[in-house]
Amino acid sequence: MRSPVMVDGDTLTFIPLFGHRTVIPPPGTAKILGSGHATIDGKKVCVLGDERNVVVPAIYLIPGYTPGQGLITIKELDEEQVMLWCTSDAPVITRGPLLTKFSALFTPTILATISGVPDSPTPSEGKGFLRPSQRWVRAG
């Protein structure tokens, strides 16, 4: 199934639940930057490897704890979001079929605490969606 190609500046949406943590990035901060050779409407397409550069600061909440802070990264794209045969220096990234999720990782940098006892520093896994800004160029 064909799906829209991701371009520089497209947004990401993270499902807030990362294990026992509710993770909240500031509005408008979750974006992917494209580095492919090809452009769509003057923006570089996103290619495999660009997802490794996504680092989104966020706060996190655990009931009863003071809020903490950390960073969200993309752990791995779904295989249906990577078009191996459609390249622009590397395979192109697409949204994938509707409701396709990628794997994300939240790593605390300032731990939430309860009665002076900190949360575990262990990263927690979550999911997210790619949100393309353009719909007319598709691959798949």
Side-chain angles (χ1 to χ4, degrees):
M1 174 185 226
R2 294 177 168 235
S3 69
V5 173
M6 299 295 291
V7 297
D8 187 64
D10 279 353
T11 59
L12 313 170
T13 300
F14 296 99
I15 297 170
L17 196 57
F18 281 71
H20 66 287
R21 299 173 175 122
T22 300
V23 177
I24 306 165
T29 59
K31 296 184 184 225
I32 187 168
L33 302 179
S35 67
H37 178 72
T39 61
I40 299 171
D41 202 25
K43 297 178 180 180
K44 290 184 174 195
V45 299
C46 295
V47 295
L48 189 60
D50 289 342
E51 77 282 2
R52 290 189 300 250
N53 297 321
V54 172
V55 179
V56 181
I59 63 165
Y60 77 96
L61 307 171
I62 301 171
Y65 283 68
T66 61
Q69 296 178 24
L71 300 172
I72 306 170
T73 55
I74 294 178
K75 180 179 175 185
E76 183 177 35
L77 295 171
D78 185 272
E79 64 182 21
E80 294 191 79
Q81 294 173 318
V82 180
M83 300 295 114
L84 296 174
W85 57 269
C86 182
T87 63
S88 176
D89 299 327
V92 171
I93 297 173
T94 69
R95 178 199 66 206
L98 197 58
L99 302 180
T100 301
K101 300 176 195 116
F102 59 81
S103 297
L105 200 62
F106 177 76
T107 305
T109 55
I110 298 175
L111 297 174
T113 61
I114 186 167
S115 301
V117 178
D119 178 29
S120 166
T122 305
S124 49
E125 293 190 26
K127 298 282 186 184
F129 298 97
L130 299 173
R131 301 285 184 207
S133 60
Q134 65 84 31
R135 303 250 186 250
W136 57 92
V137 179
R138 296 170 172 262

